[in-house]
Amino acid sequence: MSRSVLRYVRHRITQHPDTDVTFEAECLHCKWQAQPSTDTAAVDVECMSHTGRSNHRGFRRICTSFAMVVRDE
């Protein structure tokens, strides 16, 4: 009979240090899309400008980040 030793290691998930969070938006009424940016306020301003030009008021906002799992030491 063989013996096994089990060792449990705690992990955590964190944002990848070499990447930024990217914000995007797209209109729910037409094919308009905001320029992706690392500045959420810039994307929001683009959405408000689009609303002013088109009266479209619904947007899908997307926040993309890259993550990695590391040992929790």
Side-chain angles (χ1 to χ4, degrees):
M1 174 184 275
S2 65
R3 290 184 161 197
S4 295
V5 176
L6 300 177
R7 186 175 86 129
Y8 296 94
V9 179
R10 292 182 59 98
H11 289 81
R12 62 186 169 88
I13 191 164
T14 184
Q15 183 175 326
H16 193 287
D18 298 331
T19 63
D20 293 319
V21 177
T22 303
F23 301 94
E24 302 173 64
E26 56 188 38
C27 181
L28 296 176
H29 305 284
C30 68
K31 294 183 179 186
W32 177 88
Q33 294 181 341
Q35 183 71 32
S37 175
T38 57
D39 180 11
T40 185
V43 174
D44 290 347
V45 167
E46 284 192 56
C47 291
M48 290 184 279
S49 296
H50 180 70
T51 296
R53 290 188 305 273
S54 65
N55 202 30
H56 296 166
R57 299 176 184 207
F59 298 90
R60 177 175 171 230
R61 292 177 15 164
I62 306 150
C63 174
T64 304
S65 68
F66 294 94
M68 57 189 293
V69 174
V70 296
R71 285 190 176 184
D72 194 13
E73 299 179 295

